[in-house]
């Protein structure tokens, strides 16, 4: 049996990216993956299929609501749900196939099956034990369960089931107004479902900038989503085709309310997936929250065993896992891997998109500092007006004394792409003035970023 330099467990964005970087650095690399296709949750049942459905249904919404006003007359398209799912599967296939191609190109072995780690330096898959100098655990996460709620992936579904429903439900209840709930809730609302989101907290997308939370909720309500806020779901009862969701409002905890649904989407968070790896027997230290404990170089307490992505602490985001994947490869190759956790953007791919990075105004104020805030509405952005998406704004948060950019929040067109201008600025320690002095092409949405930067100084032009 040949000896590997690295065996990576899991071929999601953390694992496959790490494998490619390991191979590029000259390490003999294998990846263990038990799914039939590479790419993990993100490519198979997460980010990518949901983006295909968001794109298709956004076009539907545009045709139904905005085409006539632009002079595009005629009957709005009807939905062929089977074809939409085929389109989604084709998008997934192109992406997962692309990773397989990259593995071959980089001479990475794909060991098919589910891995156990019987000892440091050994990875067992089925009957075969492979020898390796290093192991990287990148086994990702799974939907967290909710007490009193049994998932059957038919009537009570996680995001996985929600991406593949046999038909568009008439009534959908979404538990949790986080990223998954709002993205998939948007998809079904656009397809004509009556969608109610039940959220425990008093604001959607907990932890996000408060201004964004308010504006985002208002826009989603206009799009037809209903919200029940401050409500804890206590159980879901199902018959063969229907469900009843019980919840209690925090202000009236003794009164149980009930919502009927054809489908219930449980989107109340995810938890690390480490089943079957044999971590307990191996003596791998875990955190109190069930994550694998690692040091600043992604090393566990067991020599030669590393962990990255959703199984360790930090935001459960594909791009955070990718960064760690590249960095741990550098560490294993004897170089200096680094991830700047202060500059990891977060994006919600609704319409409009929502994107954030760095610190929030509220967190800075709570910490006793007085940030400088520059805000600019897309109402003053010509390009956003031209596409009928002028709701929303860009908000830049800078240090009041040094003008250094500390964070940003954008709700508006292409927010998920525009946030990276701020990310680069933050990586270079730029000031808001640096962004304000940078020429931005006209007419672009990104002019709103410059205007928000100007709002941190002498003022924006178009406000
Ligand atoms: P989340 O943590 O974003 O949101 C869960 C929501 O459920 C929270 O608002 C929470 O207050 C609420 N909740 C929890 N228990 C509840 C109860 N009993 N009753 C009512 N509400 C309850 O989790 P989500 O949306 O499931 O996403 C999981 C992970 O996947 C997150 O880390 C997310 O960042 C990631 N993800 C990222 C995407 C992106 O970057 N666009 C897309 C999809 C997922």
């Amino acid at each position: 049996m040949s000896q590997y330099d690295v065996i990576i467990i899991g071929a999601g964005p953390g694992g496959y990216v790490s494998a490619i970087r390991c191979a590029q650095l000259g390490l003999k690399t294998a990846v263990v993956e038990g799914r039939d296709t590479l790419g993990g949750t993100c490519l198979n049942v997460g980010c990518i299929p949901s983006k295909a459905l968001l794109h298709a249904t956004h076009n539907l919404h545009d045709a139904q609501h905005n085409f006539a006003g632009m002079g595009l007359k005629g009957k709005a398209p009807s939905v062929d749900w089977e074809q939409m799912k085929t389109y989604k599967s084709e998008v997934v296939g192109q992406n997962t196939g692309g990773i397989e191609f990259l593995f071959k190109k980089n001479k990475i072995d794909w060991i098919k099956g589910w891995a156990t780690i019987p000892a440091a330096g050994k990875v067992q898959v089925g009957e075969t034990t492979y020898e390796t100098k290093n192991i990287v655990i990148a086994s990702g996460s799974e939907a967290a369960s909710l007490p009193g709620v049994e998932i059957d992936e038919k009537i009570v579904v996680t995001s996985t089931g929600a991406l593949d429903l046999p038909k568009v439900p008439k009534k959908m209840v979404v538990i949790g107004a986080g990223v998954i709930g709002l993205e998939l809730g948007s998809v079904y609302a656009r397809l004509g479902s009556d969608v109610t989101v039940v959220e425990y907290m008093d604001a959607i997308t907990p932890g996000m900038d408060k201004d964004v939370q308010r504006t985002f909720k208002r826009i989603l309500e206009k799009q037809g989503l209903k919200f029940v806020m401050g409500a804890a779901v206590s159980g879901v009862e199902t018959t063969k085709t229907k469900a009843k969701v019980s919840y209690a409002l925090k202000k009236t905890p003794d009164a149980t309310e009930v919502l009927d649904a054809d489908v219930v989407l449980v989107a109340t968070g995810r938890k690390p997936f480490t089943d079957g790896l044999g971590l307990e027997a191996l003596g791998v230290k875990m955190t109190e929250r069930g994550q694998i404990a690692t040091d600043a170089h992604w090393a566990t307490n067991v020599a030669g065993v590393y962990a990255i992505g959703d199984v360790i602490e930090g935001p459960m985001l594909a791009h955070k896992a990718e960064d760690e994947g590249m960095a741990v490869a550098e560490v294993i190759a004897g170089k200096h891997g680094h991830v700047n956790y202060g500059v990891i953007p977060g994006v919600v791919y609704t319409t409009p998109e929502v994107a954030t990075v760095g610190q929030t105004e509220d967190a800075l104020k709570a910490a006793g500092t007085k940030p400088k805030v520059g805000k600019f509405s897309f109402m003053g952005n010509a390009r956003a007006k031209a596409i009928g998406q002028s709701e929303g704004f860009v908000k830049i948060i800078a240090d009041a004394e040094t003008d250094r950019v500390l964070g940003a929040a954008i709700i508006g067109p292409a927010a998920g792409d525009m946030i990276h201008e701020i990310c680069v600025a933050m990586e270079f320690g730029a000031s808001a003035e640096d962004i304000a002095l940078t020429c931005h092409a006209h007419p672009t949405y990104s002019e709103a970023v410059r205007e928000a930067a100007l709002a941190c100084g002498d003022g924006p032009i178009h406000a």
Side-chain angles (χ1 to χ4, degrees):
M1 187 61 55
S2 61
Q3 155 118 12
Y4 286 102
D5 292 314
V6 192
I7 292 183
I8 294 162
I9 300 174
Y16 87 70
V17 167
S18 189
I20 293 170
R21 176 59 94 233
C22 284
Q24 286 171 337
L25 294 172
L27 303 172
K28 187 168 163 48
T29 307
V31 176
V32 188
E33 173 56 61
R35 267 182 212 272
D36 293 338
T37 46
L38 300 172
T41 300
C42 172
L43 272 69
N44 288 284
V45 287
C47 324
I48 301 305
S50 62
K51 258 78 275 173
L53 292 182
L54 279 158
H55 175 64
T57 58
H58 168 67
N59 285 336
L60 173 69
H61 183 90
D62 240 8
Q64 286 171 340
H65 299 274
N66 303 326
F67 273 21
M70 289 187 276
L72 298 166
K73 299 279 171 123
K75 233 173 115 220
S78 59
V79 176
D80 178 343
W81 179 231
E82 285 309 313
Q83 177 55 32
M84 199 179 280
K85 286 194 289 179
T86 302
Y87 157 69
K88 175 206 70 179
S89 302
E90 282 168 2
V91 171
V92 168
Q94 285 160 18
N95 282 282
T96 57
I99 309 301
E100 212 170 325
F101 163 77
L102 290 174
F103 272 22
K104 284 189 188 130
K105 186 178 162 205
N106 287 285
K107 302 192 170 42
I108 297 162
D109 291 342
W110 175 5
I111 302 170
K112 295 185 183 182
W114 301 101
T116 300
I117 310 170
K122 290 188 198 307
V123 173
Q124 191 183 336
V125 182
E127 300 297 304
T128 313
T129 301
Y130 300 85
E131 306 275 332
T132 179
K133 290 183 195 142
N134 301 281
I135 297 169
V136 178
I137 303 170
S139 49
S141 60
E142 60 182 343
S145 52
L146 195 59
V149 181
E150 206 170 304
I151 308 280
D152 59 18
E153 294 296 8
K154 287 192 178 84
I155 295 175
V156 184
V157 298
T158 64
S159 50
T160 304
L163 288 164
D164 210 18
L165 294 178
K167 60 179 189 192
V168 176
K170 278 208 176 75
K171 275 191 172 189
M172 179 181 241
V173 169
V174 176
I175 310 175
V179 193
I180 292 181
L182 298 182
E183 287 188 355
L184 289 173
S186 285
V187 164
Y188 284 99
R190 291 171 191 168
L191 287 168
S193 303
D194 176 355
V195 178
T196 305
V197 184
V198 184
E199 165 59 47
Y200 182 74
M201 305 297 278
D202 297 319
I204 65 171
T205 54
M208 225 182 238
D209 176 275
K210 283 205 171 74
D211 264 357
V212 170
Q213 289 177 332
R214 277 191 292 268
T215 306
F216 193 17
K217 181 161 172 273
R218 202 183 59 233
I219 294 174
L220 291 174
E221 278 168 340
K222 268 210 231 161
Q223 293 175 6
L225 274 86
K226 293 180 212 147
F227 290 93
V228 181
M229 305 302 296
V233 170
S234 52
V236 177
E237 263 179 53
T238 53
T239 62
K240 241 183 171 179
T241 53
K242 301 248 180 254
K244 280 189 189 300
V245 180
S246 306
Y247 66 90
L249 293 172
K250 277 191 281 182
K251 53 185 183 199
T252 50
D254 296 330
T256 302
E257 317 272 341
V258 177
L259 278 170
D260 292 319
D262 300 302
V263 169
V264 179
L265 166 60
V266 182
T268 50
R270 296 179 64 82
K271 60 176 185 195
F273 177 67
T274 54
D275 291 0
L277 290 174
L279 298 186
E280 208 180 321
L282 189 64
V284 172
K285 210 171 138 210
M286 308 295 283
T287 69
E288 274 175 12
R289 301 180 60 200
Q291 302 147 321
I292 298 175
T294 54
D295 68 10
H297 298 105
W298 305 279
T300 70
N301 61 314
V302 178
V305 179
Y306 299 82
I308 58 164
D310 286 6
V311 283
I312 68 169
E313 69 170 9
M316 289 184 168
L317 295 170
H319 43 281
K320 175 254 192 191
E322 289 182 29
D323 277 27
E324 290 173 344
M326 285 190 274
V328 78
E330 305 274 342
V331 168
I332 290 170
K335 294 169 174 261
H336 300 283
H338 177 72
V339 174
N340 180 0
Y341 288 101
V343 187
I344 294 186
V347 180
V348 193
Y349 297 88
T350 42
T351 304
E353 289 182 352
V354 176
T356 56
V357 67
Q359 314 236 37
T360 63
E361 186 185 351
D362 304 307
L364 285 166
K365 281 184 182 158
T369 50
K370 252 203 193 152
K372 189 163 56 166
V373 177
K375 192 173 163 188
F376 185 78
S377 163
F378 279 102
M379 289 295 279
N381 180 270
R383 184 70 181 282
K385 279 206 183 103
I387 64 153
Q389 277 192 44
S390 51
E391 281 181 297
F393 55 83
V394 178
K395 192 179 200 183
I396 292 178
I397 293 113
D399 186 284
E401 269 169 36
T402 65
D403 195 36
R404 186 180 176 140
V405 178
L406 302 174
I410 308 177
I411 174 163
D417 288 292
M418 290 202 297
I419 196 73
H420 298 102
E421 172 178 0
I422 315 250
C423 296
V424 173
M426 286 174 71
E427 287 287 2
F428 280 80
S431 62
E433 190 181 25
D434 289 324
I435 298 175
L437 289 174
T438 303
C439 184
H440 285 63
H442 176 73
T444 57
Y445 313 125
S446 63
E447 284 175 288
V449 174
R450 183 193 206 176
E451 295 266 25
L454 281 164
C456 290
D458 295 331
I461 302 298
H462 295 90

